[in-house]
Each structure stands twice: as structure tokens, then as C-alpha cells.
């Protein structure tokens, strides 16, 4: 994605006509060189200095909308005609670290299909604090699963990790689309089963397994879903997710680093030895992975 600034955040929910949109863009852009770059198609998005958000230009927006193959695996498994029917209601959004998609007890306005590279944590809150992570959703899944079961409120907080894109749909529209898409129903039944298995395994893991093994398990799960060996995280955030004190995460990360399984520096964790990390992880990693692979 070529942007007119270093910020790659995009906003795709503009409903103005293209003409009004073009006027809006020209009001935002003051210098002639940038305007020329936009006109010549060298720039796909511009930065709104007021909101700090990048705004996707119409051509790039259309190119993304026309993109035939979704990287979300739930959508990718659908027969072409079923995906084509869904596509009209799907909107591409870019999400960044800390964005809250759903809150416990609140209406689920949109469901989200994360694309490759986006990770969403499902957290159970305790005394309204940042809570324990009970589920991790990447491009293999969907956020807002209760809607598929006819429930319109969330029981968890869904928080974005890292930055990436997702295709989202209004819940009411999704409910209608689901009724006429047997393949989507079948895929989501299997995904629901796998996610419940992940949640139950995570509950047992939190109670019985040591922090170091849990951290190794979590890094492998995140890495699988991000399809990257590099993960951005602060130890404080990880401590919250795992429900342990920060010092516990520091000690566990140091131990894994001393074994040269990971490298940790300033919020960046890199997996150096995947097989070694698997050997250090508790059995929950492989159990959860097997269930997802079979589902
Ligand atoms: Zn475990």
C-alpha cells in the first residue's frame, strides 16, 4: 500500500459521492506535489491531519473491494457464488493495537473476519479490569460468533493485537446472509466447535500449567495466526493476557531467551527456534492445533 504519509491506517466507510469525496481530498491536501501524485495514481491513501487516520482513495478502495480471494480462511472456504453474495455486505477495515471490537454485555454491531496478519484476543473481564485471554482469533476464524448462534450481545471483550485488516459486516445483515449460505453455516459450526475447544483447553492451561510453558504456547499460537515469527508485545500486556504478574512474564521470557528459543527486545518478540519452543510449550498448544486442523 502506497500512502502519502508513514501512517498506513485506512478508513473505508466513506459514503459520500465520489465528487464530494474528491473535493474533500483536495481540501485536506495543500501541496501541489502530493496532489499530482494522487492524480497520477502513485498514492493509494492520504493522511487526515485532524483525525490522524489514513483515507483510502477511491481507486484503491475499489481495487480492494474487487479483490477476489479473501485471506480470511472462513471466507476462503466458501463456494465462489456464496462468497459473491456475501461480498456486497463486507467492508474492509484496518484495525490497530488496542481497538476494542466488542464489550461484554454490549450489542455486537459488526462481526469481523480477520485477514492474515491480524490477531484478536477474546478476554474475560474480572472486576471490569483487563482480563484473562480465553481465546485467540486470527484469519482462521471470525469475531462475533454469538451472532451466528442468534445471540446479539457479547460475553467477552474482543481486543485487536497488532495492526491488520478485517472484513466486517453489520450483524443484522450477517444473520440474513447466514440463512441463505449453507456452506458458511457448516464452516462456522466447525469453527465454533474448535473455538470452544480452545477456550476449554485455555481454562485448564491457566490453572495447571507453568508461566513459561504457557508463554511458549501463547507465542506459538499467535505466530501461527499471524503467520510470522515476529510478534509485537509488551510484557505488561502479555502478563494481563496470561493473568500473571509482570515479573512472572519477565522471568519466563528471560528463560526462553537464555535457551535461544526467542529473542526479546523493546516489545518485539522473535521466535528463533520453533521446534525448541514447541518442546517448551505445554501440551495445550498441540491439542488446540490438532482440533483446529481436524475441524
Ligand atoms: Zn497449557
Amino acid at each position: 500500500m502506497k500512502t502519502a504519509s508513514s501512517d498506513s491506517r485506512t478508513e473505508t466507510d466513506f459514503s459520500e459521492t465520489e465528487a464530494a469525496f474528491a473535493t474533500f481530498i483536495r481540501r485536506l491536501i495543500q501541496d501541489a506535489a502530493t496532489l499530482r501524485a494522487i492524480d497520477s495514481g502513485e498514492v493509494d491513501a492520504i493522511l487526515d491531519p485532524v483525525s490522524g487516520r489514513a483515507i483510502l482513495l477511491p481507486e484503491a478502495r475499489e481495487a480492494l473491494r474487487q479483490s477476489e480471494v479473501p485471506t480470511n480462511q472462513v471466507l476462503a472456504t466458501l463456494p465462489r457464488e456464496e462468497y459473491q453474495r456475501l461480498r456486497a455486505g463486507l467492508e474492509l477495515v484496518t484495525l490497530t493495537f488496542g481497538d476494542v471490537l466488542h464489550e461484554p454485555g454490549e450489542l455486537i454491531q459488526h462481526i469481523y473476519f480477520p485477514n492474515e496478519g491480524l490477531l484478536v484476543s477474546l478476554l474475560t473481564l474480572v472486576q471490569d479490569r483487563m482480563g484473562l485471554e480465553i481465546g485467540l482469533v486470527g484469519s482462521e476464524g471470525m469475531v462475533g460468533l454469538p451472532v451466528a448462534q442468534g445471540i446479539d450481545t457479547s460475553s467477552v471483550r474482543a481486543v485487536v493485537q497488532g495492526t491488520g485488516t478485517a472484513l466486517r459486516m453489520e450483524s443484522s445483515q450477517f444473520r440474513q446472509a447466514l440463512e441463505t449460505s449453507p456452506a458458511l453455516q457448516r464452516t462456522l459450526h466447525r469453527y465454533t466447535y474448535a473455538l470452544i475447544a480452545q477456550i476449554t483447553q485455555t481454562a485448564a492451561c491457566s490453572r495447571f500449567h507453568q508461566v513459561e510453558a504457557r508463554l511458549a504456547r501463547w507465542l506459538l499460537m499467535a505466530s501461527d495466526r499471524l503467520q510470522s515469527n515476529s510478534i509485537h508485545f509488551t510484557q505488561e500486556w502479555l502478563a494481563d493476557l496470561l493473568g500473571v504478574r509482570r515479573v512472572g512474564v519477565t522471568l519466563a521470557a528471560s528463560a526462553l531467551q537464555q535457551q535461544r528459543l526467542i529473542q526479546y527486545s523493546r516489545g518485539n518478540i522473535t521466535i528463533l527456534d520453533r521446534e525448541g519452543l514447541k518442546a517448551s510449550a505445554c501440551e495445550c498448544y498441540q491439542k488446540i492445533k490438532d482440533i483446529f486442523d481436524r475441524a
Side-chain angles (χ1 to χ4, degrees), residues 12 25-27 44 77 83 97 110-111 118 125 130 132 159 163 181 211 215 236 238 276:
T12 60
I25 296 291
R26 277 172 157 67
R27 265 208 314 275
D44 287 331
T77 59
Y83 175 62
F97 182 87
H110 294 92
I111 59 94
L118 185 73
L125 300 195
M130 168 95 181
L132 186 70
V159 187
T163 295
S181 180
V211 179
L215 178 61
E236 201 167 13
L238 273 172

Side-chain angles (χ1 to χ4, degrees), residues 205 209 214 217 282-284:
C205 187
H209 292 152
R214 291 176 61 207
R217 187 261 298 167
C282 55
E283 68 197 58
C284 304

Side-chain angles (χ1 to χ4, degrees), residues 105-247:
E106 291 186 4
L107 270 183
I108 299 174
Q109 305 278 2
H110 294 92
I111 59 94
Y112 295 80
F113 295 104
N115 284 321
E116 276 175 12
L118 185 73
L119 200 56
V120 178
S121 280
L122 306 180
L123 308 170
T124 294
L125 300 195
V126 180
Q127 294 171 337
D128 292 334
R129 276 194 71 246
M130 168 95 181
L132 186 70
E133 183 185 83
I134 50 93
L136 199 54
V137 184
S139 66
E140 83 293 349
M142 177 189 129
V143 182
L145 213 45
V147 178
Q149 326 296 332
I151 307 296
D152 59 5
T153 53
S154 180
S155 61
V156 295
R157 173 179 286 172
V159 187
V160 174
Q161 320 277 7
T163 295
T165 64
L167 288 160
R168 76 174 184 183
M169 187 182 260
E170 282 184 17
S171 297
S172 55
Q173 207 171 352
F174 172 74
R175 221 173 277 125
Q176 288 172 2
L178 188 62
E179 282 177 16
T180 58
S181 180
L184 184 58
Q185 289 169 17
R186 282 194 299 274
T187 303
L188 287 181
H189 282 153
R190 289 196 298 273
Y191 177 65
T192 302
Y193 163 76
L195 186 65
I196 289 173
Q198 185 195 135
I199 291 168
T200 52
Q201 191 69 42
T202 304
C205 187
S206 306
R207 171 66 182 84
F208 294 112
H209 292 152
Q210 300 298 316
V211 179
E212 187 180 319
R214 291 176 61 207
L215 178 61
R217 187 261 298 167
W218 190 89
L219 291 171
L220 289 164
M221 284 180 64
S223 163
D224 287 348
R225 283 156 182 78
L226 289 168
Q227 300 194 322
S228 166
N229 278 329
S230 183
I231 306 161
H232 282 281
F233 270 94
T234 64
Q235 295 197 5
E236 201 167 13
W237 182 252
L238 273 172
D240 273 342
L241 292 182
L242 295 172
V244 297
R245 286 183 303 143
R246 187 177 162 173
V247 65

